[in-house]
Amino acid sequence: MTSLRTKVLALVALPAILLGSSACTPLADTGTGANAGFGAGDSSSSVQEAASGSALEQLDTLPIKGRAPKTGYDRDQFGPSWADVDRNGCDTRNDILARDLTAVVYKDGTKECVVASGTFADPYTGTTINFVRGNETSTAVQIDHIVALSDAWQKGAQQLSAEERRQLANDPLNLMAADGPANGSKSDSDAATWLPANKAFRCEYVARQVAVKARYELWVTQAEHNAIAGVLETCPDQPVPDGSRSAAAAVAGPPAAEAGKAPVYANCAAVKAAGAAPIRPGDAGWDPKFDGDGDGEGCTS
């Protein structure tokens, strides 16, 4: 793990956060799981060629192994909660809220650190939440570990050093604001058993899981690999994310370079998130890559 430790310790500017994997009240809709649209079948069927530098290509680098026992797992194995690793004076919950919310208002006297309110476009559900800090309201927006820490523990994190696990728990790539009940429904599930209800975010979601597992040399189970591949085959050019943008911005794709210019969509997930699907030749943002079956309409599935 020497090379990994060198890479991880270099991430000294990463903020820190800890969020336990205790479940909240599950959503009534059970159709958000990986088997609701993406089964854990034979991963060799309907596989498209992975684009260079894509999440699908990166998925192929992950080892496939069985899940290790959860024995010894404890949240404390990943370091103390709410540490200010980047030493900016703010705990990482507030760092991530500031990154992922818009129209942010900070609590007076906190040097623009503690987020008091803001607007949150939740990528898990596709809904908008008006966040207000408070004892009875803060849990409406939680901070999710995209790769749950107990899942990481069972897929290689036991072999990481304490510092490497702390970096994993605090890596912005592995953190994002999320609707509280949706986060509770996910709990510590992997992609084989849970996917966001908002299908437009699934490509970005599993791409971030793959990127985290690649960064920390974790593995996937066969069912998990198949579920992720099933999602990414619908967006084979999905890029490997770096965690620098909010999830909502990543789904929307890059903005037009100038006002009045045609939008540029990274993939069909971005087209759908913008409400532009189905997209056709001549439409703003059209790209032939969206029309995989050649019927003149893109992003229809």
Side-chain angles (χ1 to χ4, degrees):
M1 299 301 300
T2 301
S3 61
L4 172 62
R5 184 172 295 108
T6 300
K7 291 185 290 182
V8 173
L9 292 178
L11 302 175
V12 294
L14 295 178
I17 184 169
L18 297 179
L19 177 68
S21 60
S22 59
C24 302
T25 304
L27 295 177
D29 179 8
T30 59
T32 60
N35 292 331
F38 302 104
D42 184 357
S43 63
S44 65
S45 62
S46 304
V47 175
Q48 299 189 38
E49 183 178 354
S52 178
S54 68
L56 189 58
E57 183 180 56
Q58 188 175 53
L59 174 64
D60 289 337
T61 70
L62 298 183
I64 299 175
K65 302 181 183 181
R67 185 185 293 270
K70 196 175 178 179
T71 305
Y73 170 73
D74 187 277
R75 183 62 186 79
D76 291 342
Q77 294 280 6
F78 292 83
S81 300
W82 307 116
D84 179 17
V85 171
D86 65 351
R87 300 180 183 275
N88 70 346
C90 305
D91 66 59
T92 306
R93 173 177 169 82
N94 284 292
D95 283 336
I96 299 301
L97 287 173
R99 183 195 69 183
D100 291 357
L101 274 61
T102 58
V104 172
V105 175
Y106 294 97
K107 184 177 179 180
D108 291 341
T110 64
K111 298 181 179 180
E112 294 194 345
C113 177
V114 176
V115 176
S117 64
T119 302
F120 177 51
D122 175 48
Y124 281 176
T125 62
T127 60
T128 299
I129 301 171
N130 293 319
F131 171 77
V132 177
R133 178 182 174 86
N135 292 335
E136 298 181 357
T137 57
S138 288
T139 56
V141 177
Q142 300 177 8
I143 307 300
D144 182 36
H145 285 100
I146 296 176
V147 173
L149 299 185
S150 67
D151 178 70
W153 180 260
Q154 297 170 77
K155 297 172 183 174
Q158 295 183 42
Q159 283 74 55
L160 298 179
S161 69
E163 174 60 20
E164 288 165 346
R165 287 195 294 269
R166 187 176 75 103
Q167 292 292 347
L168 168 60
N170 301 319
D171 193 334
L173 177 64
N174 193 35
L175 298 170
M176 66 173 223
D179 169 81
N183 186 40
S185 175
K186 172 191 171 182
S187 187
D188 61 356
S189 299
D190 62 21
T193 52
W194 191 92
L195 288 170
N198 179 18
K199 293 183 179 180
F201 183 60
R202 288 181 176 180
C203 286
E204 169 70 13
Y205 175 76
V206 298
R208 289 180 70 162
Q209 287 190 323
V210 170
V212 170
K213 292 202 168 185
R215 178 175 289 182
Y216 294 95
E217 298 184 9
L218 307 178
W219 68 76
V220 292
T221 65
Q222 185 67 64
E224 181 184 7
H225 176 278
N226 292 351
I228 293 173
V231 174
L232 292 177
E233 284 162 14
T234 70
C235 47
D237 59 343
Q238 179 72 33
V240 173
D242 62 11
S244 61
R245 291 193 296 165
S246 70
V251 171
E258 300 176 18
K261 295 288 185 179
V264 178
Y265 300 116
N267 47 48
C268 277
V271 174
K272 293 174 182 177
I279 190 168
R280 303 174 179 85
D283 290 348
W286 164 259
D287 190 302
K289 69 184 179 183
F290 300 141
D291 186 15
D293 56 8
D295 66 352
E297 290 191 340
C299 305
T300 56
S301 60

